[in-house]
Amino acid sequence: MKKIQISPSILSADFSQLGNEIKKLEKAGADMIHVDVMDGHFVPNLTMGPPIIKALRQYTKLPFDVHLMISPVHKYIKDYAEAGADIITIHPEATKNLKDSILHIKKLNKKVGVSLNPETKVDLIVELLDSIDLVLIMSVNPGFGGQKFMPEVLDKIKELKKMKNEKNLKFDIEIDGGINFDNNKLAIEAGANILVSGTTVFKNNNGNIKKNIDLLKLS
Ligand code: DX5
Ligand code: ZN
């Protein structure tokens, strides 16, 4: 089994202290930094764009795991690559041609992520799995932090994990939304190897980030 990694979402951080919050996450053992980019159109919420990501880049060497919830996404991919994203994750519904957008991310030498909403089926990406580095399974409807985990998406993770083993593929399986100390084990058992967490990492145990990351990792 791959080592479990935690990708804390800075959506739950103190926005007036983002640089320091990222340094704290690195010190506490985060494996990467999850950046939720929302456009108020693809999802009903607005967060941050390339200038903020660029400004934050100097605070850590950890990979930036950039989750783009914007549409149309294709024409903005380069801006996020140049701002310092390491993994660029897009939603199939946000682009006219998923294959082209995947190739575009690859040509920019970034890791490619594809995210599936709770109602989006795995079938949509089966043919493309060998060109994807990471599948991000949404366990809430994207748009907001602090929502309730949807256990029904675990079946999709199991399905993906099975395909991954059968075809001997290498992609990571990341889960995002409502992850806490009750469901982390279920997600890991289903096959997820990267857990995104905003609320649990920043708010539990009086904001003891290290403790929360360790507990999520089951370490
Ligand atoms: C939801 C975002 C998630 C979310 C995670 O649209 O993609 O990354 O902020 O936050 P929690 O852990 O609070 O659900
Ligand atoms: Zn996210």
Side-chain angles (χ1 to χ4, degrees):
M1 194 170 83
K2 266 195 190 174
K3 197 176 140 277
I4 303 306
Q5 298 193 308
I6 306 297
S7 186
S9 167
I10 55 170
L11 193 58
S12 299
D14 177 348
F15 271 24
S16 71
Q17 298 286 328
L18 278 182
N20 286 333
E21 295 279 71
I22 283 176
K23 277 204 232 167
K24 272 198 243 167
L25 289 171
E26 179 165 357
K27 220 171 143 210
D31 297 284
M32 54 189 91
I33 305 291
H34 189 81
V35 184
D36 284 308
V37 176
M38 306 186 186
D39 66 352
H41 165 72
F42 184 70
V43 289
N45 193 9
L46 193 62
T47 58
M48 58 195 109
I52 296 183
I53 295 174
K54 193 170 176 208
L56 293 175
R57 196 53 280 190
Q58 62 180 301
Y59 289 92
T60 182
K61 290 206 163 42
L62 290 179
F64 275 180
D65 169 29
V66 177
H67 178 191
L68 297 180
M69 288 161 275
I70 64 175
S71 165
V73 68
H74 193 87
K75 64 178 171 185
Y76 295 108
I77 287 171
K78 193 160 178 264
D79 294 342
Y80 287 92
E82 286 171 356
D86 298 283
I87 305 166
I88 298 182
T89 296
I90 60 174
H91 284 254
E93 297 85 356
T95 183
K96 266 197 238 144
N97 189 324
L98 181 58
K99 218 173 172 175
D100 280 356
S101 294
I102 289 174
L103 274 177
H104 185 39
I105 298 171
K106 276 193 177 302
K107 281 201 185 119
L108 291 161
N109 282 319
K110 304 296 174 184
K111 284 196 171 175
V112 180
V114 177
S115 180
L116 302 181
N117 279 345
E119 71 280 4
T120 305
K121 301 230 167 10
V122 171
D123 307 12
L124 206 69
I125 56 164
V126 171
E127 299 301 319
L128 302 170
L129 281 175
D130 57 351
S131 56
I132 293 173
D133 298 296
L134 174 152
V135 180
L136 175 60
I137 296 293
M138 292 306 302
S139 40
V140 297
N141 283 309
F144 301 93
Q147 301 185 75
K148 200 169 167 286
F149 179 76
M150 299 166 77
E152 56 270 34
V153 307
L154 292 172
D155 283 342
K156 262 195 308 202
I157 296 188
K158 288 179 192 157
E159 198 183 337
L160 269 169
K161 178 76 195 222
K162 194 165 169 261
M163 283 179 202
K164 181 177 158 169
N165 289 343
E166 281 169 5
K167 298 185 182 173
N168 199 17
L169 294 169
K170 300 270 172 291
F171 61 86
D172 288 304
I173 304 178
E174 183 176 39
I175 184 162
D176 184 7
I179 293 293
N180 58 33
F181 305 134
D182 295 322
N183 55 36
N184 58 332
K185 196 160 183 263
L186 295 176
I188 292 166
E189 277 168 4
N193 68 293
I194 307 176
L195 309 182
V196 175
S197 166
T199 309
T200 298
V201 163
F202 283 97
K203 314 278 186 218
N204 270 68
N205 292 306
N206 292 316
N208 186 338
I209 293 175
K210 172 150 178 35
K211 183 169 182 181
N212 295 333
I213 288 177
D214 286 347
L215 285 170
L216 282 174
K217 272 193 192 182
L218 301 176
S219 60

